[in-house]
Amino acid sequence: QVQLVESGGGLVHPGGSLRLSCAASGRIYAMAWYRQAPGKQRELVARISAASITMYADSVVGRFTISRDNAKNTVYLQMNSLKPEDTAVYYCNTLPRESNWGQGTQVTVSS
């Protein structure tokens, strides 16, 4: 299992942007970003295969972009046109077999 460290969260106004990073301690293959809002279950936001094929939840299509840098063992989530309902703790993890969850990074979208 790799160790995962998420970063890049913060407070942003509606319509703003953030770029999240997920640094892994070792080589990565397929990866995914998830989020968990208060009182809700963790949900899949986006995933990227080892060949960089991407998939997104309907709620973020056209606004979020997942990408990877294999040389840095890092996966990114570019989030544009943020909405208050995007507020959550964002996590990354490996696919198909999960690694230990990191601490996540808080994203708060509020005016």
Side-chain angles (χ1 to χ4, degrees), residues 4-87:
L4 302 165
V5 179
E6 301 93 345
S7 62
L11 172 64
V12 64
H13 294 308
S17 298
L18 284 173
R19 189 194 194 204
L20 306 183
S21 298
C22 167
S25 61
R27 185 175 179 178
I28 56 174
Y29 298 90
M31 295 288 293
W33 281 99
Y34 301 82
R35 66 186 180 189
Q36 187 166 20
K40 295 188 177 182
Q41 289 192 336
R42 189 173 291 163
E43 62 173 350
L44 176 67
V45 174
R47 64 185 185 198
I48 185 167
S49 73
S52 294
I53 297 170
T54 58
M55 184 281 287
Y56 300 92
D58 288 345
S59 58
V60 306
V61 168
R63 300 189 299 121
F64 291 11
T65 303
I66 187 171
S67 61
R68 63 192 297 146
D69 184 336
N70 292 333
K72 296 182 179 179
N73 295 327
T74 299
V75 176
Y76 304 98
L77 187 67
Q78 177 66 44
M79 305 187 297
N80 299 328
S81 302
L82 282 161
K83 304 175 181 180
E85 51 264 44
D86 295 318
T87 295

